[in-house]
């Protein structure tokens, strides 16, 4: 039986619980492909999983932002797919429930997410159903391809899928300096929107402007609505992408124009927040949750990447064996954009 290297953790804890282990290399079932992983992004989600702050057990292999090359296929998958470069759609869905039948595989109730159960991306190989391995166009490098579904597809879902952004819309993005926020700015600019970015970290203004934000509000206390009101000449914003929520959602609602869409994607403090129903009614504000990309969003994300309309924000590339260092940097908020694992 063949062995492979992977990064795992035997107990919840700080970044140093992550270590390289040897595990059995997975074997593709009839409808699966075996992917040799070339790059894996470190998502904030992975950091929370490792710390035991979201459901799941220790001992698994984290990581859901994955790109690689098909190394072998199951008996029901055409052998021509061997050698294909792919990005992995990380929700393993049933394809027969009412959500899957509507093309909303992201909502499948009979599903699990790669990295939350079973093998994830911090490994040499992964097996996934062939339909989850999405071919990537030429000209997209592997580190960028790893970020196709999350965070770029996630940004496409929120802005285009949920908020239906239009050219000229004003989009407010909280937590704008994070890995998700920077990609949201890039997607919003590719759709010709005006972006007002909020960050609590003054040292992130440079990268936020580089991502294309038109205005940056540095607001350590998250009291930003007065400044939004001033910047929009008392009009408010059409769309909010709320990556923080705790301590900021009430300010986001105050920043909203009439009929605005407030999309909630992040839940940093995981605490209940106050909502003023009078304000929501008076301004006809729509509040919506958003999460992982649909296949259609992934297609859009690949289009943006291939045409360079959206450039991935990669702070640094580390070898897989240094995943712990990547987690530590993320926790210290010492990165601007994603840390991507490549090579061992
Ligand atoms: Zn992710
Ligand atoms: Zn389903």
């Amino acid at each position: 039986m063949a062995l492979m290297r992977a990064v795992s953790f035997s107990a919840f804890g700080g970044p140093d619980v992550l270590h390289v282990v040897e595990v059995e290399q997975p074997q593709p079932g009839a409808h699966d492909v075996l992917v040799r992983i070339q790059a894996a992004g470190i998502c904030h989600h992975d950091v929370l999983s490792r710390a035991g702050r979201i459901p799941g057990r220790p001992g698994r292999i984290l990581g859901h932002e994955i790109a690689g090359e098909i190394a072998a296929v199951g008996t029901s998958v055409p052998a021509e797919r061997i050698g294909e470069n792919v990005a992995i759609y990380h929700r393993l869905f049933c394809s027969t429930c009412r959500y899957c039948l509507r093309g909303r595989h992201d909502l499948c109730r009979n599903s699990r997410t790669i990295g939350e159960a079973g093998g994830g991306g911090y490994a040499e190989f992964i097996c996934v159903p062939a339909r989850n391995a999405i071919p990537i166009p030429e000209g997209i490098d592997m580190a960028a391809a790893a970020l196709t579904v999350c965070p770029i597809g996630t940004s496409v879902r929120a802005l285009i899928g949920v908020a239906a952004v239009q050219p000229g819309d004003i989009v407010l993005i909280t937590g704008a300096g994070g890995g998700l926020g920077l990609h949201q700015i890039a997607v919003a600019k590719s759709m010709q929107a005006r972006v007002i970015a909020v960050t609590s970290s003054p040292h992130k203004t440079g990268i936020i402007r580089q991502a294309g934000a038109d205005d940056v509000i540095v607001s350590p206390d998250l009291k930003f609505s007065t400044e939004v009101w001033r910047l929009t000449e008392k009009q408010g914003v059409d769309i909010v992408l709320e990556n923080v929520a705790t301590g900021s959602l009430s300010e986001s609602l105050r920043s909203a124009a009439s009929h605005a869409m407030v999309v909630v994607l992040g839940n940093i403090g995981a605490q209940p927040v106050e909502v003023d129903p009078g304000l929501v009614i008076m301004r006809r504000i729509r509040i919506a949750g958003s999460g992982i990309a649909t296949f259609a969003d992934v297609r859009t994300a690949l289009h943006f990447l291939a045409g360079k309309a959206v450039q991935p924000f990669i702070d640094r590339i580390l070898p897989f064996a240094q995943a712990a260092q990547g987690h530590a940097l993320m926790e210290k908020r010492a990165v601007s954009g994603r840390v991507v694992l490549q090579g061992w």
Side-chain angles (χ1 to χ4, degrees):
M1 146 220 326
L3 293 175
M4 69 168 185
R5 284 172 292 184
V7 175
S8 186
F9 58 118
S10 48
F12 295 126
D16 55 359
V17 299
L18 293 172
H19 47 261
V20 177
V21 292
E22 289 219 316
V23 296
E24 205 176 314
Q25 186 181 303
Q27 299 295 319
H31 300 281
D32 295 341
V33 294
L34 176 72
V35 175
R36 180 180 292 111
I37 297 173
Q38 310 277 18
I42 299 179
C43 191
H44 188 64
H45 197 91
D46 305 349
V47 174
L48 296 176
S49 293
R50 189 215 69 233
R53 288 173 55 195
I54 45 183
R57 267 175 276 169
R60 66 189 194 270
I61 301 167
L62 297 172
H64 60 259
E65 303 179 355
I66 307 167
E69 181 193 356
I70 296 182
V73 297
T75 51
S76 299
V77 180
E80 295 85 76
R81 292 205 65 182
I82 293 171
E84 221 173 66
N85 286 335
V86 293
I88 294 185
Y89 187 76
H90 59 270
R91 180 66 56 93
L92 302 177
F93 51 88
C94 76
S95 79
T96 54
C97 74
R98 60 184 183 143
Y99 297 107
C100 285
L101 291 173
R102 276 184 210 150
R104 293 300 306 268
H105 307 96
D106 58 313
L107 301 179
C108 176
R109 298 298 300 269
N110 311 313
S111 67
R112 64 185 182 85
T113 300
I114 288 172
E116 284 176 9
Y122 301 3
E124 286 184 278
F125 293 94
I126 189 169
C127 273
V128 294
R131 64 193 182 204
N132 284 71
I134 301 170
I136 55 174
E138 267 180 46
I140 301 178
D141 71 50
M142 281 295 179
L147 308 183
T148 303
V149 184
C150 176
I152 298 171
T154 310
S155 305
V156 169
R157 171 97 302 260
L159 268 162
I160 302 175
V162 176
V165 63
Q166 297 294 313
D169 279 353
I170 306 177
V171 180
L172 176 71
I173 301 178
T174 65
L180 191 52
L182 292 171
H183 291 96
Q184 290 165 346
I185 295 170
V187 171
K189 290 312 295 177
S190 76
M191 296 298 287
Q192 317 265 328
R194 173 182 166 194
V195 174
I196 302 176
V198 178
T199 179
S200 56
S201 328
H203 65 275
K204 293 226 164 139
T205 50
I207 183 103
I208 290 171
R209 286 216 183 266
Q210 198 188 316
D214 299 277
D215 299 286
V216 185
I217 303 173
V218 177
S219 178
D221 63 356
L222 295 174
K223 294 277 175 274
F224 50 81
S225 63
T226 308
E227 184 61 7
V228 172
W229 222 238
R230 191 187 68 77
L231 288 168
T232 59
E233 288 156 349
K234 299 184 178 153
Q235 297 300 304
V237 302
D238 304 296
I239 295 168
V240 182
L241 298 186
E242 181 52 272
N243 296 308
V244 179
T246 308
S248 70
L249 185 63
S250 58
E251 285 288 293
S252 287
L253 294 172
R254 273 188 213 114
S255 305
S258 289
H259 199 59
M261 175 76 89
V262 177
V263 186
V264 181
L265 295 101
N267 184 17
I268 297 286
Q271 294 294 322
V273 294
E274 250 178 51
V275 170
D276 175 358
L279 183 67
V280 173
I281 296 165
M282 189 175 65
R283 295 201 196 151
R284 317 294 199 267
I285 297 170
R286 296 163 296 156
I287 303 175
S290 188
I292 84 162
T294 63
F295 273 81
D297 300 325
V298 174
R299 183 171 173 271
T300 305
L302 286 171
H303 170 74
F304 284 151
L305 279 170
K308 313 275 184 231
V310 171
Q311 302 273 16
F313 283 87
I314 297 172
D315 182 275
R316 72 190 75 195
I317 291 178
L318 293 175
F320 278 90
Q322 290 177 28
Q325 193 194 329
H327 275 233
L329 290 165
M330 297 265 300
E331 266 180 0
K332 278 187 271 175
R333 292 166 156 222
V335 291
S336 303
R338 273 287 186 270
V339 178
V340 176
L341 302 172
Q342 239 182 339
W344 283 83

